[in-house]
Amino acid sequence: MITTARIDELRAQVKAWHRQGDTVALVPTMGNLHRGHITLVEEARRRADHVVVSIFVNPMQFGQNEDLAAYPRTLAADSQALMEAGAELLFTPTPEIIYPKGLAQQTYVEVPGISDELCGHSRPGHFRGVATIVCKLFNLVQPDLALFGQKDYQQLLVIKTMVEDLSLPIEILGMETIREASGLAMSSRNGYLTAEERVTAATLKQTLDFMADALVQGQPLSQIGTQAERMLIGAGFKPDYLEVRNAHTLAPAVATDSELVILAAAYLGKARLIDNLLVKR
Ligand code: PAF
């Protein structure tokens, strides 16, 4: 596996692959890789001739009081796992390489509407940071295909919308959330949980399951929301949001919607956990 922080090396390698007529998949990450990321790399290998993975803790998507400094950096272990999973190029740029003029002078990409609510409401500027770095990585790597986890459901929709709005010739694939045996969605931020909180954290998925069952049974949305919030608070979470939305637009669910997504964000100790569940009715 080639590991490089250099844009010229990255571009030369991808150009050589494309010149041969080969396809290239990109898996963008912020590192501290878990089984969810590795599943993306394995699927990328099945779908493309070559797999590029990026590891970049993107300062532009963190708010002022968020965990940019504390975000776990585990390059040696990540690199080993990626090699075993069959990635061929690991791109590890520094903030100076990605944002040489600094964040204040950086041109950005903003996807209106869908970026403003849920996580966008709680984390102003977050999706601008995500859309900008993903667009920039797409321009640097020029992949045929890019893969993302569905755990970050709103992020996936923001990226799909950006790709469509800017006519980027890249296929976006969202892969199912990978979970611990307890149901807890895998996340780099699970490392912030104590052993005790990790047990409690399983309640988040249980709450989503409860809501999905109640929705399918036709219970009123307001009643489901109240009960679900009570479950989370009872377990020790501080809920940020708990919403039932249209799975395609993220607009608040209405009676005629058949494809819904239940989205949750909640604080547990030092961690802000997010999860979601798709429901058809
Ligand atoms: O999901 C993530 O890890 C990040 O938001 C991404 C897509 C790599 C952009 O920094």
Side-chain angles (χ1 to χ4, degrees):
M1 184 174 75
I2 305 161
T3 301
T4 184
R6 290 180 52 166
I7 289 175
D8 57 348
E9 278 182 16
L10 165 74
R11 284 204 153 126
Q13 182 56 71
V14 174
K15 206 180 219 172
W17 284 330
H18 276 151
R19 211 180 291 124
Q20 280 167 221
D22 289 353
T23 54
V24 176
L26 170 66
V27 180
T29 81
M30 298 207 300
N32 194 232
L33 305 180
H34 50 68
R35 201 148 47 76
H37 295 111
I38 299 306
T39 306
L40 298 181
V41 174
E42 289 167 353
E43 185 62 22
R45 270 192 75 190
R46 282 191 278 276
R47 290 179 178 254
D49 298 313
H50 306 279
V51 179
V52 176
V53 177
S54 59
I55 294 183
F56 178 61
V57 183
N58 173 32
M60 200 182 190
Q61 69 189 73
F62 287 79
Q64 292 246 300
N65 300 316
E66 292 186 355
D67 57 344
L68 174 62
Y71 201 86
R73 275 106 168 146
T74 53
L75 186 58
D78 291 350
S79 182
Q80 182 64 34
L82 290 173
M83 220 152 19
E84 284 164 18
E88 279 179 83
L89 195 153
L90 171 58
F91 181 49
T92 55
T94 60
E96 293 71 29
I97 290 174
I98 294 293
Y99 303 122
K101 292 181 285 183
L103 288 182
Q105 297 303 316
Q106 174 64 41
T107 300
Y108 57 79
V109 179
E110 203 154 68
V111 180
I114 202 157
S115 298
D116 300 332
E117 47 193 312
L118 302 166
C119 281
H121 180 75
S122 315
R123 306 181 67 191
H126 171 65
F127 287 119
R128 174 197 287 185
V130 170
T132 303
I133 188 59
V134 171
C135 186
K136 185 140 179 161
L137 288 167
F138 285 176
N139 286 328
L140 290 168
V141 178
Q142 308 215 343
D144 303 279
L145 167 73
L147 297 90
F148 298 86
Q150 270 182 10
K151 195 207 61 153
D152 299 288
Y153 191 83
Q154 189 177 10
Q155 166 173 286
L156 182 61
L157 288 191
V158 167
I159 292 166
K160 282 184 173 168
T161 307
M162 172 187 78
V163 163
E164 193 183 324
D165 288 357
L166 299 180
S167 309
L168 303 180
I170 301 169
E171 185 191 343
I172 303 299
L173 197 68
M175 295 284 297
E176 207 174 303
T177 303
I178 304 294
R179 299 180 181 281
E180 309 270 0
S182 69
L184 175 64
M186 297 229 175
S187 163
S188 301
R189 288 190 167 98
N190 290 352
Y192 296 150
L193 298 169
T194 63
E196 200 182 317
E197 285 164 353
R198 236 186 151 84
V199 176
T200 305
T203 307
L204 188 54
K205 171 66 164 43
Q206 288 158 11
T207 305
L208 296 179
D209 287 335
F210 158 77
M211 291 177 80
D213 288 346
L215 270 173
V216 172
Q217 283 163 19
Q219 282 185 35
L221 273 180
S222 57
Q223 194 181 314
I224 298 172
T226 312
Q227 280 180 328
E229 197 165 319
R230 223 177 276 147
M231 270 175 85
L232 280 185
I233 294 170
F237 279 93
K238 267 198 217 119
D240 177 357
Y241 62 76
L242 196 53
E243 299 270 339
V244 182
R245 298 288 176 105
N246 177 294
H248 301 285
T249 62
L250 289 191
V254 292
T256 50
D257 284 330
S258 58
E259 294 187 20
L260 301 168
V261 59
I262 309 169
L263 301 127
Y267 294 90
L268 186 62
K270 279 198 216 131
R272 180 178 181 276
L273 303 180
I274 61 171
D275 202 350
N276 66 81
L277 201 58
L278 287 163
V279 185
K280 284 192 185 196
R281 63 170 185 189

